[in-house]
Amino acid sequence: MAGLLSIKEPNPQADDNFQASSNTDIGSDSTTSFFSTDSLATEIKPSPIKHSREQIAQLFDLPLMDLLLQAQTIHRQNFNANEVQISTLLSIKTGNCPEDCGYCSQSGHHRDKTKLQAEKRLEVDKVIAAAKRAKASGSSRFCMGAAWKHPSAKDMPYVVELVKEVKSLGLETCMTLGMLNLDQAAQLADAGLDYYNHNLDTSRRYYEQVVSTRSYDERLDTITNVRDSGINVCSGNIVGMGESRDDRIDWVHELLKMPKAPESIPVNLLVPIAGTPIGDKVLADGELSVLEWIRTIAVTRICCPSSYVRLSAGRESLSDAEQALAFMAGANSFFYGDKLLTTGNASQSNDNRLMRELGLTAQFAAPRAPKQLPVIDAMSGHQSQVVLAE
């Protein structure tokens, strides 16, 4: 257990980033108590610690088995140990994106090399049919992504309708549409959107190596608009783009600098796509080790204990044992389906087999109610909107 005890507990008087726990009976020797065998079964949920950058770096340096034990311990204090949240992702508008993200085949800047064929936005009935299939397969959340820099005014009625229709099926909803202003976020909140995805991708320092058409602060502004509207934030990263461990440390620290950590955090492993600048570089230089990805998942779980940590891109190349390690590291969400926007994903039949072997069960959907509900007067037939209290 020595490795687990190698990180000094933060001193609340010395470290402004530390938030003392006020609802736990962990003893004065909190490190030893926290990692005792009995803590695996406890229902106590300590207040999250805002780790400093130095403490995050120390976590990354732990022996892997010690790190996984710490991550799994914290996971069990905040979630049902063997329950996973399952999502399905659908591209509702594919290709010809004006952004120049160096990893993405959907960028219009790379289309001459990637040869990805752009598609117009999907008709509503096709999206709903896909959502019904997702629900039937066991997904609790339906995520919709559009290759836009931001939705236009004419796109908003379309995406609002999608949110309402998918929610009517009893599914949680998530969208990723690019940047949002506060009014657009409010419209999606009123429709009842549960989650909005807007990844930071990497550290502020490495970001300029990834994309130039959108600033890091613009990404943070969108996350703020989503948070202020009352929608849950989904924001993660992509590891293996040529960044250093320091960049992965900085990315975790960026999450902790937010007023509240994202409720959902996808930790993607780059799927290098030939024809994209970053994909070509990684294919030439070599890919990041899976264990470093798993290490990143574990540190994310420790630092963001109450967030869903999702296995996203890159999972299709993992062995059963590697996926088991990822779940041990605290991942408790993943995507169903054979495709993630434009890249491949593990097959659903294989996922079902692996869940059985690992003893994992799917979480039930818990969509939130829209802020506005239609009400029809029984006598006059007049329809109006009722705004629900928060």
Side-chain angles (χ1 to χ4, degrees):
M1 296 290 286
L4 288 172
L5 305 179
S6 63
I7 296 179
K8 294 180 180 179
E9 285 295 309
N11 183 336
Q13 282 75 39
D15 187 349
D16 291 337
N17 288 322
F18 176 81
Q19 292 182 345
S21 174
S22 59
N23 61 344
T24 173
D25 61 0
I26 292 175
S28 59
D29 185 3
S30 58
T31 308
T32 304
S33 169
F34 183 78
F35 296 111
S36 67
T37 304
D38 291 340
S39 70
L40 292 175
T42 184
E43 299 201 4
I44 296 171
K45 295 184 180 179
S47 297
I49 294 171
K50 287 269 191 175
H51 294 77
S52 69
R53 190 192 183 282
E54 179 184 7
Q55 290 159 351
I56 297 168
Q58 290 174 348
L59 287 171
F60 267 99
D61 286 340
L62 282 176
L64 182 61
M65 294 302 109
D66 293 351
L67 178 63
L68 294 183
L69 176 58
Q70 184 171 347
Q72 182 61 203
T73 301
I74 289 174
H75 171 70
R76 287 166 179 260
Q77 289 180 331
N78 291 273
F79 292 95
N80 292 333
N82 297 300
E83 187 178 75
V84 290
Q85 188 279 317
I86 302 175
S87 299
T88 294
L89 176 62
L90 177 70
S91 178
I92 60 174
K93 192 277 176 186
T94 303
N96 205 24
C97 179
E99 303 277 26
D100 66 354
C101 303
Y103 55 83
C104 186
S105 62
Q106 298 203 68
S107 170
H109 296 259
H110 318 317
R111 61 185 176 186
D112 290 341
K113 292 184 177 180
T114 62
K115 306 300 182 183
L116 180 73
Q117 294 297 314
E119 300 174 5
K120 295 180 179 179
R121 70 188 197 190
L122 287 180
E123 297 173 0
V124 172
D125 59 346
K126 292 183 178 180
V127 177
I128 302 310
K132 289 179 178 178
R133 291 193 296 270
K135 182 179 181 181
S137 73
S139 289
S140 62
R141 188 177 305 162
F142 191 68
C143 305
M144 295 160 274
W148 294 326
K149 186 180 179 72
H150 51 74
S152 67
K154 65 182 177 62
D155 294 319
M156 289 306 298
Y158 166 73
V159 296
V160 164
E161 182 179 3
L162 290 180
V163 172
K164 292 179 178 179
E165 291 292 335
V166 172
K167 285 186 74 68
S168 71
L169 301 176
L171 287 165
E172 296 172 9
T173 51
C174 180
M175 283 190 157
T176 178
L177 313 171
M179 293 187 294
L180 290 182
N181 60 37
L182 189 55
D183 178 66
Q184 290 170 325
Q187 290 182 58
L188 293 174
D190 288 344
L193 184 67
D194 295 286
Y195 289 83
Y196 191 83
N197 168 261
H198 201 63
N199 291 335
L200 291 179
D201 286 350
T202 188
S203 68
R204 181 182 289 274
R205 174 178 51 203
Y206 194 70
Y207 184 79
E208 64 182 17
Q209 304 297 318
V210 177
V211 57
S212 68
T213 51
R214 182 191 317 181
S215 73
Y216 207 70
D217 285 326
E218 285 178 311
R219 286 187 181 269
L220 291 170
D221 288 344
T222 288
I223 292 171
T224 298
N225 290 337
V226 169
R227 173 71 69 206
D228 289 348
S229 73
I231 301 171
N232 292 318
V233 172
C234 175
S235 184
N237 74 346
I238 306 172
V239 301
M241 296 193 293
E243 81 286 350
S244 66
R245 179 178 282 186
D246 277 343
D247 291 307
R248 292 187 282 279
I249 293 167
D250 285 344
W251 166 75
V252 175
H253 194 220
E254 195 72 50
L255 297 181
L256 299 186
K257 289 192 289 185
M258 296 178 182
K260 182 181 180 182
E263 284 81 3
S264 179
I265 305 175
V267 183
N268 298 277
L269 178 64
L270 179 73
V271 178
I273 299 171
T276 62
I278 291 178
D280 288 342
K281 185 177 187 303
V282 170
L283 289 171
D285 296 346
E287 299 181 35
L288 186 73
S289 76
V290 169
L291 290 183
E292 182 68 13
W293 181 38
I294 290 172
R295 189 177 289 274
T296 306
I297 291 169
V299 173
T300 304
R301 164 55 66 219
I302 292 166
C303 294
C304 304
S306 61
S307 302
Y308 286 93
V309 178
R310 176 179 295 149
L311 298 180
S312 299
R315 188 171 67 88
E316 78 287 350
S317 64
L318 301 185
S319 67
D320 287 356
E322 288 168 335
Q323 290 194 69
L325 274 179
F327 290 120
M328 186 69 185
N332 63 334
S333 177
F334 67 89
F335 278 119
Y336 248 166
D338 299 333
K339 197 174 184 180
L340 298 178
L341 296 180
T342 62
T343 59
N345 191 34
S347 71
Q348 184 174 314
S349 60
N350 191 58
D351 284 339
N352 290 337
R353 174 196 59 79
L354 183 60
M355 286 180 65
R356 287 194 300 271
E357 291 189 7
L358 297 181
L360 300 177
T361 58
Q363 184 182 77
F364 291 109
R368 70 181 184 88
K371 288 186 175 180
Q372 295 184 357
L373 290 176
V375 176
I376 300 177
D377 186 279
M379 298 295 292
S380 66
H382 175 72
Q383 180 170 313
S384 59
Q385 299 288 325
V386 172
V387 179
L388 299 180
E390 292 292 343

